[in-house]
Amino acid sequence: MYRFEEICGNAGLVAHLQGALRRKKTSHAYLFLGGEGMGKRQLARTFAMCLECEAQQTEPCGQCSSCRAFLVGSHPDIVTVRPSKKTLGVDDIREQILEDVKLKQYRYPYKIYIVEQADTMTVQAQNALLKTLEEPPAYAVFLLLAQRLENFLPTVLSRTVVLKLRPLPEQTVADYLCRKKLVPQEKAGVLAAYAQGSIGRALSLMEEEGFAAMRQEVLDKLERLPRAPLSEVLLWAREWEVYKNDLRFLDIISLWYRDVLVAKRLGDGSKLIQQDKQRELFAAAGSSVAALAKGAAAVEEARRALAANGNFRLTLEVMLMKLKENETL
Ligand SMILES: [Zn+2]
């Protein structure tokens, strides 16, 4: 969802951009500065959408051909520039910007370059870009996204409007999580406390936490597999229905089989296994290499079946039955 009114905090920056849009006095180059997950990308993308929107208002309309093209990721006149290696080198700037900017926009008012990780630009790359920043074609707009200001040449900075995003107050982050009904209130407070004023960071913490809980739950069950009766094992298919939209739980299972298999093949997998108490237990359960390989194959079969829209619970029951059978090999 790209709307200025949806952006939390940083009201001064939003007002600045909307004011420039209203007066039709936008600049050719902006630098959005802020830590990971603080919303610089969302701000830049919302601004880009407004510049190109047929409605020409201070919010993107979301309906016109430009807005729709942008939202499906196929806007002909908004280009995302990314480093091809660790840094944005002179070749990246040449190929992705300088060659391209010679061609006029295809059908919308501007040709916009959103430059990801602009602070990784080498000095050479910045110098290559400088001439275009100094004398940009009338239709060109550059939106640079960066975390650190000190990596830029003063000559580049002097050609851009620097917009510095500020960390949000903890309460604002917590309120956002609650308002979007992402987590219960008490949880939102905890996440916000760790998020350092960044909604993006709060979301990734939430994601990581969910993943860690899922991993633990799945590994606990795998560890029980040799001892649990088949009737119990089959019930797991129903419990795992909560992961229906997150098939990473299959990755957890297949990685487990792969790791234990590697440890077995090496003969002495003690070092590998020591790091993970559960794997130690599992390896000690005495599964043969053949059984482990069959287990891994059963997981892949399940993955294929689910990709082909197979019934979730049935597919998992078949997989679990095979995993359980293997234990007795
Ligand atoms: Zn529009």
Side-chain angles (χ1 to χ4, degrees):
M1 186 66 179
Y2 294 103
R3 289 187 70 79
F4 283 118
E5 64 185 9
E6 286 282 317
I7 288 167
C8 283
N10 292 297
L13 300 189
V14 169
H16 174 87
L17 291 172
Q18 288 190 309
L21 286 165
R22 194 175 300 117
R23 294 190 305 276
K24 309 230 177 287
K25 293 258 187 240
T26 52
S27 176
H28 280 289
Y30 291 86
L31 174 62
F32 295 82
L33 191 71
E36 192 52 50
M38 275 175 55
K40 47 188 183 307
R41 190 166 295 105
Q42 194 184 8
L43 199 56
R45 290 168 70 99
T46 307
F47 183 57
M49 263 178 100
C50 276
L51 284 171
E52 302 286 44
C53 176
E54 284 167 16
Q56 290 288 297
Q57 299 293 317
T58 55
E59 287 283 7
C61 78
Q63 308 290 328
C64 70
S65 75
S66 169
C67 286
R68 277 183 288 134
F70 181 79
L71 291 171
V72 299
S74 64
H75 199 289
D77 293 323
I78 300 180
V79 179
T80 302
V81 177
R82 291 194 181 85
S84 61
K85 302 193 192 82
K86 265 191 170 167
T87 57
L88 259 172
V90 67
D91 289 341
D92 291 324
I93 297 300
R94 214 171 272 146
E95 284 158 24
Q96 300 184 56
I97 300 180
L98 302 183
E99 290 298 318
D100 192 76
V101 78
K102 292 179 196 157
L103 311 167
K104 281 194 176 171
Q105 71 273 37
Y106 175 68
R107 64 177 286 195
Y108 299 106
Y110 297 95
K111 191 141 188 192
I112 302 178
Y113 296 86
I114 299 179
V115 185
E116 298 270 353
Q117 300 172 51
D119 48 355
T120 68
M121 258 193 292
T122 60
V123 169
Q124 231 188 340
Q126 294 186 53
N127 278 321
L129 183 61
L130 190 58
K131 199 170 168 299
T132 309
L133 286 180
E134 282 169 347
E135 290 166 23
Y139 50 81
V141 176
F142 298 92
L143 307 179
L144 312 180
L145 311 184
Q147 299 203 32
R148 279 175 304 274
L149 199 60
E150 59 272 21
N151 298 0
F152 289 96
L153 296 175
T155 41
V156 168
L157 289 181
S158 71
R159 296 290 164 185
T160 61
V161 176
V162 178
L163 303 174
K164 189 165 186 232
L165 283 89
R166 307 232 167 257
L168 302 176
E170 216 173 288
Q171 193 58 47
T172 308
V173 176
D175 289 347
Y176 177 88
L177 298 176
C178 287
R179 196 170 70 243
K180 295 280 173 188
K181 297 197 168 48
L182 295 168
V183 283
Q185 198 156 10
E186 62 278 9
K187 190 93 196 183
V190 177
L191 284 170
Y194 284 101
Q196 295 167 20
S198 153
I199 286 179
R201 205 184 296 249
L203 294 176
S204 62
L205 281 172
M206 203 175 77
E207 165 94 347
E208 275 166 36
E209 207 171 276
F211 181 74
M214 171 164 78
R215 180 174 181 278
Q216 194 56 49
E217 195 267 338
V218 170
L219 292 186
D220 281 344
K221 285 202 164 63
L222 287 179
E223 189 240 310
R224 277 188 54 70
L225 188 69
R227 287 172 284 128
L230 183 62
S231 56
E232 181 195 323
V233 171
L234 290 179
L235 290 178
W236 299 348
R238 192 192 306 169
E239 289 178 38
W240 284 348
E241 268 180 321
V242 292
Y243 305 140
K244 211 168 177 171
N245 296 315
D246 187 356
L247 295 186
R248 288 180 306 172
F249 82 98
L250 285 179
D251 299 337
I252 295 170
I253 304 176
S254 50
L255 276 177
W256 156 283
Y257 274 98
R258 195 199 64 189
D259 284 1
V260 178
L261 198 54
V262 168
K264 285 264 174 195
R265 282 209 174 120
L266 288 177
D268 174 23
S270 54
K271 272 192 195 129
L272 244 166
I273 294 162
Q274 262 167 21
Q275 295 170 1
D276 206 321
K277 185 75 186 149
Q278 285 175 317
R279 287 171 203 218
E280 199 179 334
L281 288 167
F282 189 80
S287 307
S288 67
V289 168
L292 289 166
K294 275 193 178 172
V299 179
E300 291 320 304
E301 266 169 49
R303 195 194 300 278
R304 276 194 298 277
L306 291 178
N309 280 324
N311 177 289
F312 185 86
R313 200 188 302 180
L314 209 62
T315 304
L316 286 201
E317 279 175 357
V318 171
M319 177 188 85
L320 286 164
M321 210 180 301
K322 285 182 183 164
L323 297 186
K324 179 70 188 158
E325 271 172 15
N326 275 339
E327 281 305 312
T328 53
L329 278 182

